[in-house]
Amino acid sequence: MPDADELSEFLRGSDLRVTRPRVAVLSAVYELPHASTDVLLEAVRTELPDVSHQAVYDSLHTLTAAGLIRRIQPSGSVARYESRTGDNHHHVICRHCGSIADVDCAVGETPCLTAMDDHGFTIDEAEVIYWGTCPTCSNHLS
């Protein structure tokens, strides 16, 4: 996980002002992949107890717009954030406990970006979600 100096460089490299809330939010997203806004708010408040909800929401929005983090929102779930960006990976989600894990593209070099019929669109991202039962829940269900 990057330290505070590296996170500050990420912000500067994206032409963003370095603020304590932004660094804390970015750090929390790295520490807690696929975390919800509420979980990230709690994590940020351990470092910055007086940070407002709005500062965290604004930071998440800004960091997402800059491409430093990615926002995902699986069906039936709240928005979640991750630091893995730019590689068009996918996710697998447990139907029982809601745990989420990253999954690389199915085969080869991002085959999911080649649609059967693109309707004239230039496709730059595909969102695929695999649903199933995680190993922990499988053990409890059997």
Side-chain angles (χ1 to χ4, degrees):
M1 186 186 112
D3 64 22
D5 290 335
E6 291 170 311
L7 296 173
S8 295
E9 284 304 312
F10 293 163
L11 292 167
R12 284 187 196 95
S14 293
D15 293 326
L16 295 175
R17 198 165 48 95
V18 177
T19 65
R20 290 184 68 210
R22 286 180 183 169
V23 171
V25 168
L26 194 52
S27 177
V29 171
Y30 270 91
E31 283 181 39
L32 303 165
H34 311 120
S36 67
T37 304
D38 288 341
V39 169
L40 293 170
L41 177 62
E42 283 182 39
V44 169
R45 283 193 170 157
T46 62
E47 186 177 332
L48 303 174
D50 296 329
V51 73
S52 69
H53 278 83
Q54 194 61 50
V56 171
Y57 291 129
D58 289 348
S59 294
L60 287 168
H61 177 76
T62 299
L63 296 169
T64 301
L68 293 175
I69 62 174
R70 180 178 176 198
R71 179 184 186 272
I72 62 169
Q73 189 165 5
S75 178
S77 176
V78 297
R80 297 174 180 271
Y81 297 87
E82 64 182 349
S83 58
R84 186 174 169 184
T85 62
D87 66 351
N88 197 56
H89 69 280
H90 308 301
H91 298 94
V92 60
I93 303 173
C94 180
R95 291 186 188 279
H96 302 280
C97 70
S99 68
I100 301 174
D102 291 336
V103 177
D104 291 325
C105 247
V107 179
E109 188 67 27
T110 61
C112 51
L113 293 181
T114 305
M116 197 65 100
D117 181 358
D118 64 17
H119 298 277
F121 284 68
T122 301
I123 298 173
D124 60 18
E125 182 178 4
E127 221 173 273
V128 175
I129 296 178
Y130 300 95
W131 294 89
T133 305
C134 72
T136 301
C137 290
S138 289
N139 288 335
H140 287 69
L141 294 173
S142 46

